[in-house]
Amino acid sequence: MKTIAPTHSCHAAVAALLLALFLTPVTAPDAQAAEWVNYPRQPDIIYYLAIEPVTDTDYYVWAGTETGAFRIHAVDDTYVRYTYADGLSYNSVKSILVDSAGDKWFGTMNGGLNHFDDTTWTLFPSPDITPINEIALNGLGFPLLARGDFLTELAGLGGFHVFNGADWAVYNAGNSDLAANYVEALLVDGSGNVWLGTCPPPLGFLVGQPGGLNMFDGTNWTTYDKSDGLVEENVSDIAADSSGDLWIATLFGGISHFDGATWTSYTTANSDLPNGNVQAVAVDANDTKWFGTTMAGVCSFDGFAWTPYDTDNSGLVNNNIHAIALHDTPPPTEAASGTDPIARVVVPVFEPDVWLGTGNGVNRLDSTGAWTTFSFDGIFNSYYTAAAADAGGNKWFGTHDGVVMFDDTDWTTYTTENSGLAGNNIRAIIVSSDGNIWFATNAGASWFDGTDWATYNTGNSGLVSDGVSCLAEDISGSLWFGTSAGASVFDGTTWTTYTITNSDLVSDAVQAVCAAGDGSLWFGTDAGVSVFDGGTWTTYTTANSDLVADDINTIVESSTGLIGIGTDSGMSMFDGGTWTTLDVAGGSLIANTVRAIIEDSEGEIWVGTTAGVSRFDGAAWSHYDRGDGPGDPSIRAMALESDGDLWFATGNGVTGYVIPPEPEPEPEPEPVPDPPLVPDTSIGCFITGLMR
């Protein structure tokens, strides 16, 4: 739980004006088109929790997860998910702040800072791509960011970022006395001082980033480390109690308490703290401290006694605690108060709800001692990497943890534990001409006919490597397997392998394979493209052609014979003589990292990138991203159903582009018969008849 410095009204007005000038609106339509159907995956890890009060007893809890932000209504336990499709810039939400106006700020894993006022999403300009681990506002209402991670801190990324209304001031270990570039914790105290908890890289003292705790007053830096009394230099969280004392959570050490002059440490050796790896700390209105640990649950400390909660002695769903949020309900009557044994005065005793973000969902321990677990909805929780559709209308998706099949009603999961799948890390899926489903895995290639499974690996076949990355079936029905050690082909009887030692394959790292209609095989590698026509090899690289890049992600052939090649630098189209480059600069693609290419039933080309989908209808390009496209921008694979529907495997789950059926024609109205002739007995008609 973080303390935010008060925002003065005149300063807030100025800040609001400046924020309005510098907030960049997210370009999203009012509503997602009906054709797009999103199936987000169920989150496991809860990175962050924040309270949004409504009344004294009614409030929301915001949960930042790997698959979006969830708003839980604490009174009726309902929730709403917000994702990329709603306007969030990235689905993995690392931090959340609810400000005094009730607006929400979301820090994402890829560095995007989002602002949401319950109506409009805006993307705040941010100078870095590292995770935003903590958000606070200064006295002017401008955002302060703690950011970074272990992977990027040595590159000088991360640090402490301060917005001044027009630009960002970036403080890091190279240009200030910040102890390390990976800043995990941020707290603004009642005097406006900023406290920053950092985590050093391995052997950080050798590169001038030893880690520890920093205090920054806007001008001067003060650093605290073990020599001062800090129990450990990997600081993961900071909270303040009612006296302004700091409680500092560390990894590998335990807890430090700092009252501004004296340090006190609580470790597994001198207290009942269940684990020294403390990831989260919060202080409730009774000044009871709550500590969340890695793999040892949560414990409370009231200054005298320690109370542990774990999966064995409570309703806690998971012992890995990433976040704690507290809602303190005032006592309804004085009878619910206690007496201070020293001062002999009546003091209010609050009734806190304790919310815990774990490695497997959200828990609430309410004021009555009852536990509630919130399991958010969603499909199988994994990273989706591959896609295919069979003739029966089943959609098959590969993930990092197995295979998922969707029959338009139910989702079925296959893993090594409940099926004959060779490995759970799925790299590619195809449907062969005999109707079998083939899976490229980290432990060989498997096929499934709906009943039986079979696996080919280096132990029972001529497959060159168990790490299969791609699959294709050629016009003769032979199966091709691209691996990290070359390409193998199986004709149903014989295995043949091609490597750089026995062929002119440009590299053994085969990452994509395409069986063309003329019988040739196209191999995309990390060093270019090699083409094999059964007798001759031809290689294309950036050195001898206009191929846009040598590291190939995917290769496909269009119905007109064009070869499309996706790379991290754009897409190349080759007609046998001329190369054409498609990229962001030319207006063709929404992003240059192309992971998947497919032609739909109308002959239109769809390109899946890391920032959405681009579509070419033969005349112009259209782009689909936030709000009007897939539920996650990171497209890994695409599949085409026989009815023309498209399916996208993404980092956040599955999206379908489902073509609505043609409306039934209106039935032709039944002809209305002419009314029967009725004799007119009037005098005029009678006379007229006589005259005829």
Side-chain angles (χ1 to χ4, degrees):
M1 184 171 65
K2 307 304 175 189
T3 302
I4 308 301
T7 302
H8 301 293
S9 58
C10 61
H11 289 164
V14 174
L17 176 60
L18 291 171
L19 287 177
L21 292 173
F22 289 97
L23 284 172
T24 304
V26 171
T27 54
D30 292 336
Q32 190 176 39
E35 291 84 359
W36 295 92
V37 182
N38 298 314
Y39 299 94
R41 59 190 175 99
Q42 183 180 25
D44 278 342
I45 299 174
I46 311 300
Y47 294 119
Y48 207 93
L49 296 171
I51 303 293
E52 180 185 1
V54 178
T55 66
D56 281 348
T57 56
D58 189 14
Y59 61 99
Y60 295 114
V61 178
W62 288 86
T65 81
E66 55 193 325
T67 66
F70 290 80
R71 189 192 70 184
I72 305 170
H73 190 197
V75 171
D76 59 19
D77 294 346
T78 59
Y79 62 84
V80 178
R81 183 200 296 249
Y82 296 87
T83 69
Y84 180 82
D86 301 295
L88 192 63
S89 69
Y90 195 70
N91 283 323
S92 188
V93 177
K94 189 68 163 53
S95 54
I96 304 174
L97 170 69
V98 180
D99 66 24
S100 59
D103 292 356
K104 274 64 68 176
W105 299 78
F106 301 91
T108 66
M109 192 66 80
N110 75 341
L113 177 62
N114 296 259
H115 176 267
F116 181 49
D117 64 2
D118 292 328
T119 302
T120 304
W121 288 87
T122 51
L123 179 62
F124 203 85
S126 178
D128 206 335
I129 59 171
T130 56
I132 300 174
N133 303 312
E134 195 81 62
I135 310 168
L137 301 181
N138 64 13
L140 290 173
F142 292 137
L144 314 174
L145 307 179
R147 58 194 317 167
D149 55 24
F150 283 123
L151 294 177
T152 59
E153 64 177 325
L154 288 177
L157 299 176
F160 173 50
H161 295 189
V162 179
F163 190 63
N164 62 14
D167 202 357
W168 290 91
V170 176
Y171 300 93
N172 56 45
N175 65 12
S176 72
D177 288 330
L178 187 66
N181 289 331
Y182 177 9
V183 185
E184 178 67 25
L186 166 62
L187 179 142
V188 180
D189 67 23
S191 300
N193 299 315
V194 179
W195 295 83
L196 302 164
T198 72
C199 298
L203 301 177
F205 63 92
L206 295 178
V207 293
Q209 297 187 41
L213 179 69
N214 284 115
M215 191 273 282
F216 182 52
D217 65 7
T219 303
N220 301 308
W221 292 84
T222 304
T223 300
Y224 300 94
D225 55 27
K226 284 184 177 179
S227 64
D228 300 293
L230 184 66
V231 69
E232 230 294 324
E233 271 111 14
N234 280 275
V235 178
S236 53
D237 203 2
I238 312 169
D241 62 23
S242 62
S243 299
D245 294 1
L246 299 184
W247 294 83
I248 301 140
T250 75
L251 296 177
F252 319 121
I255 298 291
S256 284
H257 168 225
F258 182 49
D259 64 6
T262 304
W263 290 86
T264 305
S265 294
Y266 299 91
T267 69
T268 55
N270 68 0
S271 74
D272 290 329
L273 186 68
N275 189 311
N277 295 314
V278 185
Q279 298 182 117
V281 57
V283 183
D284 66 26
N286 300 318
D287 265 346
T288 297
K289 276 64 69 175
W290 295 82
F291 305 113
T293 73
T294 61
M295 306 316 296
V298 66
C299 66
S300 66
F301 177 53
D302 63 5
F304 301 97
W306 295 79
T307 305
Y309 302 92
D310 58 30
T311 54
D312 292 329
N313 68 6
S314 72
L316 189 63
V317 69
N318 185 276
N319 283 328
N320 193 3
I321 310 299
H322 292 273
I324 305 174
L326 303 167
H327 181 263
D328 296 299
T329 302
T333 65
E334 190 173 306
S337 300
T339 302
D340 186 312
I342 298 175
R344 301 294 181 184
V345 295
V346 176
V347 294
V349 177
F350 290 80
E351 300 175 345
D353 286 346
V354 182
W355 292 79
L356 304 170
T358 80
N360 192 27
V362 174
N363 272 133
R364 178 181 62 201
L365 172 61
D366 68 23
S367 57
T368 69
W371 287 86
T372 305
T373 298
F374 295 86
S375 297
F376 300 121
D377 63 353
I379 62 175
F380 181 66
N381 185 22
S382 186
Y383 196 90
Y384 286 69
T385 55
D390 66 26
N394 300 313
K395 276 69 66 177
W396 297 84
F397 301 100
T399 79
H400 282 170
D401 300 289
V403 172
V404 179
M405 188 272 285
F406 180 46
D407 64 4
D408 290 327
T409 302
D410 297 316
W411 297 81
T412 305
T413 301
Y414 300 94
T415 69
T416 55
E417 294 182 355
N418 69 356
S419 73
L421 193 62
N424 285 330
N425 190 344
I426 312 300
R427 283 84 178 269
I429 307 175
I430 65 168
V431 181
S432 59
S433 56
D434 58 7
N436 291 339
I437 317 299
W438 286 80
F439 307 96
T441 85
N442 60 308
S446 296
W447 61 257
F448 181 51
D449 65 4
T451 303
D452 298 318
W453 292 82
T455 289
Y456 298 101
N457 54 42
T458 54
N460 67 5
S461 72
L463 187 65
V464 67
S465 170
D466 287 338
V468 183
S469 56
C470 49
L471 300 163
E473 183 182 19
D474 66 23
I475 57 174
S476 70
S478 296
L479 273 297
W480 291 80
F481 307 84
T483 79
S484 57
S488 294
V489 58
F490 182 52
D491 64 6
T493 304
T494 304
W495 288 84
T496 306
T497 290
Y498 300 93
T499 68
I500 58 174
T501 59
N502 70 355
S503 73
D504 289 330
L505 187 66
V506 68
S507 169
D508 282 340
V510 179
Q511 300 169 160
V513 59
C514 172
D518 62 2
S520 62
L521 276 298
W522 292 70
F523 301 96
T525 76
D526 62 352
V529 176
S530 290
V531 186
F532 182 50
D533 64 5
T536 303
W537 289 85
T538 304
T539 291
Y540 300 100
T541 68
T542 54
N544 68 5
S545 73
D546 288 329
L547 180 66
V548 68
D550 288 330
D551 197 355
I552 310 302
N553 298 324
T554 186
I555 305 179
V556 300
E557 183 187 32
S558 74
S559 58
T560 59
L562 286 174
I563 300 296
I565 302 169
T567 78
D568 284 352
S569 302
M571 176 178 165
S572 290
M573 298 293 290
F574 185 53
D575 64 4
T578 303
W579 293 86
T580 302
T581 296
L582 307 174
D583 57 18
V584 172
S588 304
L589 302 181
I590 195 171
N592 283 335
T593 301
V594 176
R595 300 294 189 194
I597 308 167
I598 201 168
E599 182 179 10
D600 69 17
S601 55
E602 301 297 322
E604 299 184 358
I605 304 299
W606 297 70
V607 182
T609 77
T610 52
V613 180
S614 296
R615 175 186 185 183
F616 184 60
D617 64 4
W621 286 90
S622 302
H623 306 298
Y624 303 93
D625 60 358
R626 189 175 301 103
D628 65 350
D632 187 282
S634 180
I635 309 300
R636 300 293 304 188
M638 298 186 287
L640 177 66
E641 267 197 282
S642 58
D643 61 3
D645 293 347
L646 283 170
W647 294 86
F648 303 82
T650 80
N652 194 48
V654 169
T655 292
Y657 183 77
V658 180
I659 299 173
E662 292 290 334
E664 293 287 337
E666 293 289 335
E668 292 290 334
E670 293 288 335
V672 179
D674 293 332
L677 295 175
V678 179
D680 192 337
T681 57
S682 65
I683 293 297
C685 194
F686 177 70
I687 294 173
T688 303
L690 288 177
M691 291 177 64
R692 290 177 181 169

